[in-house]
Amino acid sequence: MIVARITTLALSLLICAFQVDGKLRRFPDGFSFGVATASYQIEGGWNASDKSESIWDTFTHNSNYKILDGSSGDVACDSYHLYKRDVEMVAELGVDFYRFSMSWSRLMPDGYELSKDGVKYYNDLINELLKHKIQPVVTLFHWDLPQWLQQLGGWSNSLTAKHFQRYARSAFELFGDRVKMWLTVNEPQVFCLHGYGKGLKAPGLDMNGFAEYLCGHTMLKAHAKVYHLYDQVFKKKQKGRVGLTLNASWQQASSNSSNDREAAQRVLEFELGWFANPIFSKCGDYPKIMKDRILWKSQEQGYTESRLPIFTKEELEEIKGSYDFFGLNHYTTRMVKEKSNKSVASKPSFSNDVEVDDYFESDWKESASVWLRVVPWGFQKLLNWIKDSYDNPEVIIFENGFSDREGIDDVDRVQYYRDYLNYLLDAIDDGCNVSAYTAWSLMDNFEWNKGYSERFGLYYVDYNSTIKKRTPKASAHYFKNIVKTKSIEKI
Ligand SMILES: *[C@@H]1O[C@H](CO)[C@@H](O)[C@H](O)[C@H]1NC(C)=O
Ligand SMILES: *[C@@H]1O[C@H](CO)[C@@H](O)[C@H](O)[C@H]1NC(C)=O
Ligand SMILES: *[C@@H]1O[C@H](CO)[C@@H](O)[C@H](O)[C@H]1NC(C)=O
Ligand SMILES: *[C@@H]1O[C@H](CO)[C@@H](O)[C@H](O)[C@H]1NC(C)=O
Ligand SMILES: *[C@@H]1O[C@H](CO)[C@@H](O)[C@H](O)[C@H]1NC(C)=O
């Protein structure tokens, strides 16, 4: 009891410390806030009812692949059973929307028939959200492909786009009366690169320089098919919006030399432009530099054609403009310089195709994740790059957050949100059209290869307790106040 009181006192002092001297900055009228999660990272219930296996079930159960702490998402936060508590937390935060994903293998175990229990689970979750006046935002694919589709080649098989369309149609029919914002796929760049290129994530294929491009190719086609399906069949009646969300870091040139600036631009084109150009640019298709370099390298390596697949004219037209907004997940920044000793490596790889040297400045604050350093100003630069490259689309931030190994006194996360949100407001002052912001994540969860060792949550999860007890961290109180006042102290 005393301990709890002291902790509460410490927390309120901490929050006050961040609020004393600042001038307040307001978010624009109509700006909305949300929090996000993903099915495999929170649901558990991996074999509940008639659910089939997803590639993440297969991957974590196979000891050839490495999850840092040997864990899996079998139980995770047990949101399959505890979704009411999740919604209660979202309501406590006072946000406008909750972004979650649907598990394809739970909803449609064999890809054709619907699961009664799967449908019930997502109906219950959506209805519980609406009861609390929280808008559901649904990601259709957040990395947990049904395993049977993987056995047919997964995203390297272009027929997967057809299966995806069938699944999406069911989701629109079942839930579209209540769900008004849909994301087709989450971070295709990370999924394809890590899952098909480097073998780090499910499905664990290391076919670098080939398979990630096949994966991306099918995903773009699948996204566009689903966009047009909604547009043609559902939009008039359901009046919702459809897009996708792309992950990107800011890439800062290490000097003003034209070589280094070109190198930084090249990484942005390869990592964000790979998916953004075909959809958001006026001409469509992959970035020119990507097509040129991969063709040139492929020829040098003795291949008769480019390792990057080519879209047909019809496909290009279908993909171009297939969006109602630009979804962005952003966490960090890297320094980039031209590679010192370039080579056409005999073994193809994505990184040899891009071919730069990159690094973090040593004084950038670390997080629990090796890939995530705290560089708030990069957020403003990236948003301006998107504004200038894609004719100032409406941008919705669908993920932004910080990892630690701490408990509820998460001072560093509070500071991360304060600083990143200030630079977001600077970008809005620059004319960037950002309409909403989503914190990743509602609660600590299964962080892919790092298992439960890295925590991203606004709520702390005690994985040892049978009820997976969730407790608000200092950052939850802090974020709640931003949402309530629609303002933040100036840094
Ligand atoms: C589900 O998996 C758990 C292990 O996570 C196992 O103990 C249980 O028997 C399985 N249930 C069914 C119905 O297969
Ligand atoms: C996001 O994308 C960048 C490249 O733009 C990559 O370096 C980073 O690891 C990715 N991180 C996440 C969490 O998606
Ligand atoms: C590049 O030039 C800008 C303005 O011309 C300057 O502010 C910046 O410090 C320079 N950057 C580097 C790394 O030299
Ligand atoms: C932002 O984008 C939306 C949707 O396209 C548009 O209605 C609005 O006018 C834009 N706002 C600004 C400030 O450009
Ligand atoms: C959870 O249990 C494990 C094993 O008993 C223990 O090592 C760990 O410290 C516990 N974690 C917490 C947060 O209590």
Side-chain angles (χ1 to χ4, degrees), residues 115-128:
S115 156
K116 251 188 164 157
D117 286 341
V119 173
K120 179 176 187 314
Y121 175 65
Y122 292 115
N123 266 329
D124 288 348
L125 173 58
I126 291 166
N127 293 340
E128 186 73 11

Side-chain angles (χ1 to χ4, degrees), residues 424-449:
L424 171 69
L425 284 174
D426 288 342
I428 291 175
D429 289 345
D430 296 339
C432 299
N433 191 355
V434 185
S435 63
Y437 175 89
T438 317
W440 180 272
S441 176
L442 169 62
M443 64 187 144
D444 298 334
N445 56 54
F446 178 77
E447 179 52 23
W448 311 114
N449 305 66

